[in-house]
Amino acid sequence: MNCKKDIFILALETSCDETAAAVTRNGLDILSSVVSSQIDLHEKFGGVVPELASRKHLEFINPVIEESLAQAGVHKEELDAVAATCGPGLVGSLLVGLSAAKTLSFLLDVPLIGVNHILGHIYANFISHPELQTPVLCLTVSGGHTDLLYFEDLKSYEILGRTRDDAAGEAFDKIARFLELGYPGGPVIEKLAREGDSGAVDFPRAEFKDDTLDFSFSGLKTAVINYVHNQRQKDEKINKADIAASFQKTVFDMLIKNVIKAANKMEVKSVVLAGGVAANEKFRCRLENELTSKKLPLFYPERKYCTDNAAMIGAAGYYQFLNRDFAALDLNPEPGLRL
Ligand code: KG4
Ligand code: ZN
């Protein structure tokens, strides 16, 4: 007879502009994943307004928690732990989810688990692909992070490279804002780039003197801005689709170059992608083609787990639960938390 008890975790994610709650069973079995997005609210400002974000989180956190429990068919009393994103993110936003998690942990007398948002993005892969084998190379490309990691197993990892300035997603957002395309930048640039010629403008790629796996995108951002200014000064036509396609191609060239370099260096069984930029189909397709020649499979989370959600926090939180990596009730949000 199998007496192993199922572990139910309620996970909360409020690091930026999505209020999300999920219930997971034994980590990777997602019983519910509710996301209330604030994109419409922030769109008109061209970016997330922190004060507005935290107010909206306050308004939505309780209904979203109730909805996630109801959809999962799990009662609060059945929960084994409550997990919440503790960083990185906007401090006011993080506080809302973390305070709710602390309250529930105290009232229900279950452990509190503080989860790193970036780890959550990585674990989203294991939700979508429980068969995934380690060691694995992981590229995390979001609005705040661009990290290249080596996971020996699910519990230990090494940082191989990271961005020295802007994150890849941040570059998409800044260029989209500069070209007045809207927010968030990634999806609008991806869409517009389909109509453009990626070879139209040869933007420079960051080059480092040392043999590093680090990234840099701020030079590219400046190059795009300078290019547009020059075109305007010369009274020449600005083809936004060509710029979007050329910019996007340059970002992907730089990302792919380092993934291949790392794959040549480390012995891995697979490569995984995490973060919002991993939703870009062009990027996935190009990287997949490059890796096929190395016989390395590429995994990425299903679309719904690529952007911010609480299921990924529940999945990462489960492995912390197994390690008894619990937080005290005085856990504070860490806006600049790194891996
Ligand atoms: O992981 P995420 O949802 O939030 C965090 O930053 O943690 O990532 C959001 C970032 C934004 O910068 C957005 O512009 C970018 O991911 N993004 C994309 C795409 N969808 C979202 N970038 C390129 N192509 C996309 N399709
Ligand atoms: Zn995120």
Side-chain angles (χ1 to χ4, degrees), residues 13 15-16 88 117-118 121 142-145 275-276 306-309 312:
E13 154 61 40
S15 66
C16 191
H117 180 83
I118 310 163
H121 275 303
S142 69
H145 299 270
C306 273
T307 46
D308 290 352
N309 66 87
M312 66 185 196

Side-chain angles (χ1 to χ4, degrees), residues 26 52-53 55 63 74-75 86 105 111 115 126 146 149 156 158 160 177 184-185 218 234 255-256 289 304 318 320 322:
N26 303 327
L52 289 183
R55 281 192 222 169
V74 170
H75 295 285
C86 57
S105 152
V115 178
F126 301 105
T146 304
L149 308 165
S156 58
E158 186 189 328
L160 303 176
R177 193 182 315 164
S218 76
K234 287 190 272 178
L255 291 172
I256 291 169
N289 283 341
K304 65 179 172 186
Y318 173 70
Q320 290 181 229
L322 294 183

Side-chain angles (χ1 to χ4, degrees), residues 13 15-18 88-89 117-118 121 140-145 167-174 176 183-191 194 247-248 251-252 274-283 303 305-309 312:
E13 154 61 40
S15 66
C16 191
D17 59 349
E18 325 274 3
H117 180 83
I118 310 163
H121 275 303
T140 306
V141 268
S142 69
H145 299 270
E170 189 181 357
F172 270 91
D173 294 335
K174 285 179 175 171
Y183 167 85
V188 286
I189 289 187
E190 178 177 21
K191 193 161 169 246
R194 286 192 203 120
F247 159 79
Q248 179 175 271
V251 173
F252 297 163
V277 183
N280 189 299
E281 272 160 28
K282 184 83 191 174
F283 177 56
R303 219 174 165 93
Y305 295 131
C306 273
T307 46
D308 290 352
N309 66 87
M312 66 185 196

